[in-house]
Amino acid sequence: MPPRPPVSVVALVRLVVRNCSTECAGESNAMIMHFQIIASVNSTNSSVINLRTNGSLFYSALRSQSERYGFFVAQGADAQIPGPDRRYTDTAAALLTMYMNLDRGDIEEYGGGKFWNVYNEWLPLDTLALGGALLEWGHVSEAQEYIGAFLQAHVDSSGTLNYSVFGCDSDADYGRLISLYSQLTMYSNNSGSWPATMLPIIHRMASRALQLRSAAVADFPTTDPRHGMVPGSPEHDICHETGYFFSVNVWFARGLLDLHRVHLAFPALSLNRTLEDALLPTVTAWRSDIHSAATFTVVRNVQPSSASPGPFYFLHPLVGSQGGVNRVTTLLPGGTSADCGERGTCFYSMTAPLPNGGSNQITNYANFRIFSETLLAGVLAPEYELAIMSYREQHRGTLLGMTRFRDVLDDMPILGYGRGALRGDRVPSFHATLAGHALNYLTRGTYWGTEQRQQLEWIGPYRNDCSIGGEDCSLCMVSSVATAYWIRWMLVVEDVLDDVLYVARGAPRRWYSAIDSFGITAAPTRFGSCTFQINPSPTALAGSFKLLRNAVSSSNNITVAVRLRSNDAITPFRCARVTAGGATLVNWFSGNETAVFSIGGTVAFFNFSASSSCP
């Protein structure tokens, strides 16, 4: 981690001006100038030195950055992706390095332009976005620096987050930060002093969560859907409109579950046995109450279809479809899809304006963040998650894979939609989200993304031709970095609740018809470091899987689910088998072309194959 720089920043700029009245391509008719800009943080004061055609400082700095970050990328997981999609690997690397280059030492910035200021520093969202992405790609030491700096500076003695001048945000931040600490501890195999150093802070946050849960259990009888549900804020912009939100509760439960896993895996990493022993029983009861509330709130689907295929039609973000914390509020049972709009238990639209031209806060913020964060936790049963995803896709929630917010596009908290689509095995929906964000929301070739995008017709190569004054013109790294997660997850991702590792779950069929192999090397998981490779051929495929098991998983049986697709949907593979190693083929699901293997405590490597003819 580089030392924290002073309050002034030096930028070197190469400016190319072309006369496009004749020919825009190339630089033969271009004027190239170089500038050195010295700017003060949180100040309008700056000085500009015109270096004219002397680009030595610019190219020296560019070479230095390339060497620095080239070395950094090489230390992490390495994805191998075939054909034209291999630019996805560049996307992940570029987003990580661009985010780190944006920050001031260990002070994470929300973005650039209007966002590069004290108001947007030290947000939990910044730490969650960058810290989590670094972990997914195996950069544990860098993640420790960022996450540790935030925890030590912004969690007080009672376990309460200090939002500083930002004021407030979603109460899901608590569970997400506990989960992030747990992920780092598992990925690092509890190595070094970092986990023990940060544990007192995490226990303070967990203690606060347990206290809130105890109060929520006492607040309502077991017959009330709000029993055990903690009221809270779902988002900064509406943080004073508290209510019994599913997003808040699923993340409290998920954070405590992940912390339980840490203490189970590393018994010596202990601070308060009473608290530690309470984690799993609390999570079990909390999840039960969450599902009781969801059962009451959910809208039943009276006419399932391809667009809305499950038994459930919609799940309101609030228990009983009612906001606020007034005890006498009459909650609304979900009812059925036949009249849920009239009854107020489903939305007519996720983002359509009101008749007077204004916007509906709860529908827009549900689509923008609340539903995404609910899906990211992975705590709800699959049928509830399917209802959320299907409904928003059919009710003005998306445009070309991007998230609609009022009359703009806003992908800032989109991460959970990609994770939910993968978990629900909705591969086309996952790729619509991935491609929509990577190709439409980010600027192609530079991976530069804003907090929002306007829905405008645009002719020409430059889509960011605007000032730094608005959400649609200022760099937002929390919005941009989601692609780095999805690229890793479509290759390797762990199940949230069970000891299952999914391999190539999001791999598109075109990869299986390519001549190049694909896979990933040294991807960290809570079971250890994972490497796999799949080698397609016209009539069959072969592959290998290796897991460098850590202390956590050395004695556990682990399920490895590998997607093995034929190169066309007309003649799918009929069977798979183990060709080397000690793994056992447990099942072959032809419907989604997935082989399920089991590996025991001593097995770390096996080869496999799939074909249309069974032996």
Side-chain angles (χ1 to χ4, degrees), residues 129-149:
L130 178 56
L134 288 168
L135 283 179
E136 295 292 348
W137 288 95
H139 301 288
V140 171
S141 61
E142 290 81 4
Q144 286 177 338
E145 292 282 347
Y146 283 115
I147 299 168

Side-chain angles (χ1 to χ4, degrees), residues 137-293:
W137 288 95
H139 301 288
V140 171
S141 61
E142 290 81 4
Q144 286 177 338
E145 292 282 347
Y146 283 115
I147 299 168
F150 177 87
L151 292 175
Q152 290 178 317
H154 289 273
V155 182
D156 70 16
S157 59
S158 69
T160 302
L161 290 173
N162 173 16
Y163 288 100
S164 188
V165 295
F166 195 69
C168 58
D169 195 30
S170 169
D171 287 315
D173 291 346
Y174 287 91
R176 291 187 64 185
L177 286 165
I178 294 171
S179 180
L180 187 63
Y181 162 87
S182 303
Q183 181 186 10
L184 195 158
T185 302
M186 300 292 270
Y187 279 18
S188 68
N189 203 20
N190 191 30
S191 61
S193 61
W194 191 93
T197 300
M198 299 300 155
L199 186 59
I201 302 172
I202 296 300
H203 268 212
R204 293 201 297 270
M205 297 175 70
S207 177
R208 182 179 184 277
L210 293 172
Q211 291 168 15
L212 291 171
R213 164 67 181 174
S214 295
V217 168
D219 271 349
F220 296 98
T222 56
T223 54
D224 192 299
R226 292 166 294 188
H227 174 77
M229 299 292 282
V230 171
S233 158
E235 147 67 19
H236 167 74
D237 294 353
I238 53 173
C239 64
H240 300 299
E241 300 176 24
T242 57
Y244 296 91
F245 286 93
F246 286 102
S247 60
V248 171
N249 285 270
V250 293
W251 267 110
F252 271 129
R254 168 69 186 279
L256 297 184
L257 173 63
D258 289 345
L259 184 59
H260 160 72
R261 279 203 184 106
V262 167
H263 289 301
L264 184 66
F266 307 108
L269 185 64
S270 177
L271 188 65
N272 180 337
R273 274 299 171 84
T274 301
L275 181 149
E276 293 156 17
D277 290 343
L279 293 173
L280 184 58
T282 299
V283 170
T284 303
W286 208 331
R287 289 192 67 221
S288 177
D289 289 338
I290 289 169
H291 283 99
S292 293

Side-chain angles (χ1 to χ4, degrees), residues 574-593:
R574 294 177 53 214
C575 52
R577 62 193 182 100
V578 177
T579 57
T584 302
L585 177 66
V586 177
N587 216 328
W588 166 252
F589 295 96
S590 58
N592 66 354
E593 301 170 288

Side-chain angles (χ1 to χ4, degrees), residues 33-56:
M33 301 292 289
H34 300 86
F35 301 90
Q36 183 182 52
I37 303 173
I38 303 175
S40 299
V41 177
N42 296 314
S43 171
T44 58
N45 297 326
S46 63
S47 61
V48 179
I49 302 174
N50 189 343
L51 303 175
R52 302 188 184 282
T53 59
N54 183 358
S56 58

Side-chain angles (χ1 to χ4, degrees), residues 455-519:
Q455 298 183 50
L456 300 174
E457 292 186 14
W458 191 260
I459 300 174
Y462 306 113
R463 292 182 292 158
N464 296 313
D465 185 14
C466 52
S467 66
I468 63 170
E471 282 81 356
D472 59 309
C473 295
S474 293
L475 171 67
C476 177
M477 283 310 308
V478 179
S479 288
S480 303
V481 79
T483 307
Y485 285 83
W486 295 329
I487 293 165
R488 154 60 207 269
W489 291 341
M490 72 174 167
L491 294 168
V492 174
V493 65
E494 305 116 300
D495 188 85
V496 169
L497 302 175
D498 300 315
D499 287 347
V500 180
L501 193 60
Y502 290 96
V503 173
R505 191 172 198 179
R509 191 175 298 279
R510 61 182 177 271
W511 291 4
Y512 295 86
S513 60
I515 60 173
D516 300 324
S517 60
F518 67 91

